[in-house]
Amino acid sequence: MERIALTTQRLLLRPHDPGDEDAAFYLRELVPRGRRDETMYHFAVEDRESGVLVASVNVHRHTDAWGIGYWTVAEHRGRGFATEAVLALAEWSFKERGVQRLEWRAEAGNQASWAAAEKAGFVREGTLRAAQTNGNTLRDTWIGALLPADLGLPFALPYCPAASDLSG
């Protein structure tokens, strides 16, 4: 299994190791399986200057699309680490993995997650009704997408956008 590391001006994105978090099953089973199956790439995000873990970011395949997920360590929020890491991983996904669309999803109302996604160039596409559970309740989900063209990169296939939407 190839160890992939990505760098930005401020960050190092590297595979998680057991010292990063307290999720043994996740790190022992799910992350390696996703890398083996080429269905998930998960990275710890370190501040390059201090070596401190500031965030986590991943791309994962679901159905016929790729999704992106991220979180930032509470004391490091508001510094743009999530946006910077998302952009690095998106560019790698488009260039190296041939991904043609990255989807961002979060519980409707999660303004902090949306702020990072929007700064990275994601376009919010709408709300999926009752698309996730939280506790014992169904919740609506916001969905957005980032395309290679949004970052000035070419598509691998021709893209023919719709002439109009359903509302017209």
Side-chain angles (χ1 to χ4, degrees):
M1 182 172 22
E2 179 186 1
R3 277 187 65 87
I4 300 163
L6 308 172
T7 57
T8 70
Q9 183 177 347
R10 299 184 302 162
L11 304 174
L12 167 66
L13 285 67
R14 59 158 176 80
H16 273 285
D17 62 47
D20 290 332
E21 55 186 273
D22 205 16
F25 173 76
Y26 180 76
L27 292 173
R28 187 179 63 246
E29 302 290 333
L30 297 180
V31 171
R33 184 182 324 139
R35 283 188 187 268
R36 260 193 323 275
D37 299 346
E38 296 186 346
T39 58
M40 183 169 91
Y41 299 89
H42 203 286
F43 297 89
V45 180
E46 289 182 1
D47 179 313
R48 287 177 63 185
E49 189 175 304
S50 68
V52 171
L53 180 73
V54 296
S56 179
V57 65
N58 74 80
V59 291
H60 51 277
R61 188 165 183 85
H62 54 85
T63 319
D64 56 348
W66 284 83
I68 195 154
Y70 49 89
W71 53 261
T72 305
V73 175
E75 59 266 25
H76 299 291
R77 291 182 184 147
R79 299 184 198 169
F81 292 136
T83 298
E84 190 173 328
V86 164
L87 278 168
L89 191 51
E91 187 171 330
W92 175 82
S93 297
F94 294 143
K95 287 180 174 179
E96 302 299 326
R97 304 302 312 157
V99 170
Q100 293 303 295
R101 173 184 166 89
L102 272 179
E103 291 183 354
W104 161 87
R105 295 179 184 208
E107 187 173 312
N110 187 337
Q111 295 290 348
S113 183
W114 172 241
E118 185 177 36
K119 287 176 189 165
F122 280 77
V123 174
R124 192 154 65 193
E125 296 177 331
T127 301
L128 304 173
R129 299 179 305 144
Q132 66 179 307
T133 56
N134 185 338
N136 289 326
T137 61
L138 291 171
R139 302 292 177 100
D140 291 345
T141 302
W142 283 342
I143 184 170
L146 185 70
L147 306 177
D150 297 332
L151 299 182
L153 300 171
F155 284 97
L157 300 171
Y159 171 45
C160 299
S164 65
D165 62 20
L166 295 175
S167 64

